[in-house]
């Protein structure tokens, strides 16, 4: 790797510009794996994070699926939480005011069973103070209505994205599912609908079986696979998305180290999210941020943009 930066011996510049959204650094925490952020305040200096993606929100509170909703797998985990959350009213009344006291971007992950539900949540958050962007979750594999049903159909992705785009001034991030044949086509649909940023990947649909009872381990039969096991799939998805569209990408899927982050940046991500790693060590995101900084200093890289889309290959990223 050649150094292109004259400022390599100084602290690297970690700021990233994701279309209309500027983050102080590219390390964010993934929706559903970090509660509402506040639960982690005793373990993590929240002010150091580039952004907190809060747990997926719905119009009404949800208790999610019954137990058992988590299963450990080789190098990963399955979950069928089923979008348990406090609901949009409680989030705006109780969580958001507390989150406003931290110097980090708060990104709301929004979910609906119908397009109208997405629009109503979007309106409520747009009128509230302290939300930096909306992440439209059209890729949850653990709900019967909405979720991945929307995210595997380009027409529905474009319809929901453009409906939200017309109603909000906030940056719109669309979260894509890996459970499709052509993720590039889904990315194009989201961009046609007006997405400013894409985030990917959500979990892969999987199963676990109990040989003592001959029953599925998870109450919902299937769940979403996350963690290091999915990193190669996530890297391929980010690469294909970066070839298909030019909007900024927030990459995720199994990231556990600073060099994992570098891999995602090289295949086209502009920022990343840490998910399952926070379950192993609650402060994994901060360790990963420090490892990224060390990698940049050691390799004389002055700015994140010097890594993004840097993959050397005969099919270079456009
Ligand atoms: C327990 C759990 C709950 C999740 N809940 C949500 C959610 O509410 N909304 C969402 O968009 N993604 C959700 N995800 C997906 C993660 O945000 C992330 O896309 C995925 O886990 C891949 O990253 P990882 O392998 O680093 O965990 C959840 C993941 C897990 C493990």
């Amino acid at each position: 790797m050649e150094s292109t930066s004259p400022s390599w011996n100084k602290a690297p510049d970690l700021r990233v510009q994701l279309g209309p959204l500027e983050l102080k650094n590219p390390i964010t925490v993934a929706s559903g794996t970090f509660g509402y952020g506040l639960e982690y305040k005793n373990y993590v200096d929240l002010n150091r994070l580039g952004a907190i993606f809060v747990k997926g929100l719905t119009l009404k509170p949800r208790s999610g699926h019954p137990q058992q909703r988590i299963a450990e797998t080789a190098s990963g985990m399955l979950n069928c939480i089923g979008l348990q959350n406090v609901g949009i009213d409680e989030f705006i009344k109780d969580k958001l005011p507390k989150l406003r006291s931290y110097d980090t971007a708060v990104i709301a992950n929004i979910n609906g069973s119908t397009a109208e539900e997405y629009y109503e949540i979007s309106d409520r958050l747009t009128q509230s103070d302290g939300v930096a962007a909306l992440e439209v979750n059209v890729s949850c594999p653990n709900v019967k209505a909405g979720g991945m049903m929307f995210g595997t159909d380009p027409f529905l992705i474009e319809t929901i994205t453009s409906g939200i785009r017309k109603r909000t001034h906030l940056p719109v991030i669309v979260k894509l599912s890996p459970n499709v044949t052509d993720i590039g086509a889904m990315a194009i649909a989201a961009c046609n609908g007006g997405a400013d940023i894409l985030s990917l990947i959500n979990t892969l649909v999987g199963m676990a079986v109990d040989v003592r009872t001959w029953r599925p381990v998870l109450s919902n039969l299937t769940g979403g696979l996350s963690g290091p096991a999915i990193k190669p799939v996530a890297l391929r998805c980010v690469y294909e998305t970066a070839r298909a569209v030019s909007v900024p990408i927030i990459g995720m899927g199994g990231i556990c180290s600073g060099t994992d982050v570098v891999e995602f940046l090289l295949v086209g991500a502009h920022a990343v999210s840490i998910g399952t790693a926070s379950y192993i060590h609650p402060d994994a995101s901060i360790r990963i941020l420090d490892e990224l900084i060390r990698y940049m200093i050691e390799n004389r890289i002055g700015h994140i943009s010097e890594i993004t889309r840097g993959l050397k290959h005969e099919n270079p990223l456009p």
Side-chain angles (χ1 to χ4, degrees):
M1 179 193 328
E2 301 114 43
S3 162
T4 50
S5 168
S7 58
W8 61 269
N9 54 350
K10 300 196 190 114
D13 182 354
L14 297 171
R15 283 170 303 172
V16 286
Q17 189 69 45
L18 308 176
L21 179 68
E22 185 180 306
L23 302 183
K24 69 167 90 164
N25 70 59
I27 306 297
T28 73
V29 283
S31 178
T33 63
F34 209 74
Y36 301 97
L38 304 162
E39 297 88 335
Y40 279 77
K41 68 177 194 286
N42 295 333
Y43 307 100
V44 172
D45 179 359
L46 301 177
N47 299 307
R48 289 198 65 202
L49 294 172
I52 296 173
F53 287 74
V54 299
K55 173 65 190 167
L57 297 164
T58 50
L59 216 43
K60 298 272 174 259
R62 282 177 69 120
S63 51
H65 289 302
Q67 299 293 345
Q68 181 171 344
R69 356 193 251 187
I70 297 252
E72 197 168 333
T73 62
S75 293
M77 65 182 266
L78 283 164
N79 90 83
C80 66
I81 304 296
L83 287 177
Q84 177 185 359
N85 77 101
V86 296
I88 191 69
D89 288 340
E90 183 70 10
F91 175 74
I92 292 171
K93 192 166 89 159
D94 181 54
K95 311 287 183 195
L96 200 49
K98 293 176 187 146
L99 280 167
R100 276 201 287 269
S101 64
Y102 293 96
D103 178 25
T104 182
V106 174
I107 301 180
N109 180 275
I110 66 174
N111 299 266
S113 307
T114 61
E116 286 65 37
E117 282 184 20
Y118 280 94
Y119 303 156
E120 189 164 347
I121 298 174
S122 158
D123 287 349
R124 303 283 310 280
L125 290 165
T126 303
Q127 288 151 15
S128 308
D129 193 18
V131 177
L134 302 178
E135 183 182 52
V136 185
N137 182 8
V138 284
S139 45
C140 181
N142 297 320
V143 284
K144 279 203 183 68
M148 211 174 75
M149 184 192 88
F150 291 132
T152 50
D153 179 335
F155 174 77
L156 292 176
I157 293 179
E158 183 174 339
T159 305
I160 290 173
T161 307
S162 72
I164 295 170
R165 173 71 292 156
K166 285 185 196 124
R167 309 167 82 93
T168 186
H169 62 272
L170 292 171
V172 174
I173 305 169
V174 176
K175 184 157 181 181
L176 299 179
S177 171
N179 302 300
V180 293
T181 312
D182 183 359
I183 199 163
M186 308 301 151
I188 291 168
C191 292
N192 288 343
D196 299 298
I197 303 163
L198 300 177
S199 58
L200 55 138
I201 59 174
N202 209 318
T203 53
L204 285 148
V205 180
M207 273 179 83
V209 176
D210 186 335
V211 294
R212 289 166 307 167
T213 59
W214 293 22
R215 294 181 63 80
V217 174
L218 296 174
S219 66
N220 190 47
L221 179 65
T222 61
L225 182 65
S226 64
I230 72 169
K231 194 184 87 174
V233 177
L235 285 169
R236 185 266 300 166
C237 287
V238 170
Y239 174 77
E240 286 181 2
T241 302
R243 285 195 68 80
V245 295
S246 56
V247 299
I249 295 171
I250 301 171
M252 75 200 83
I255 296 176
C256 288
S257 68
T259 51
D260 286 346
V261 176
V262 175
E263 290 181 44
F264 275 80
L265 297 175
L266 287 172
V267 296
H270 296 72
V272 296
S273 277
I274 312 304
T276 301
S278 298
Y279 284 107
I280 304 166
H281 293 290
D283 61 350
S285 47
I286 300 301
R287 171 184 52 78
I288 292 168
L289 172 60
D290 288 333
E291 287 174 6
L292 176 66
I293 295 170
R294 209 172 314 127
Y295 176 91
M296 291 176 75
I297 292 171
E298 281 169 12
N299 291 284
R300 307 177 174 196
I301 297 166
H303 195 274
I304 292 292
S305 61
E306 293 168 40
I307 316 176
T308 289
R309 290 177 173 256
L311 189 73
K312 294 181 180 171
H313 188 259
E314 51 275 18
N315 291 321
L317 288 162

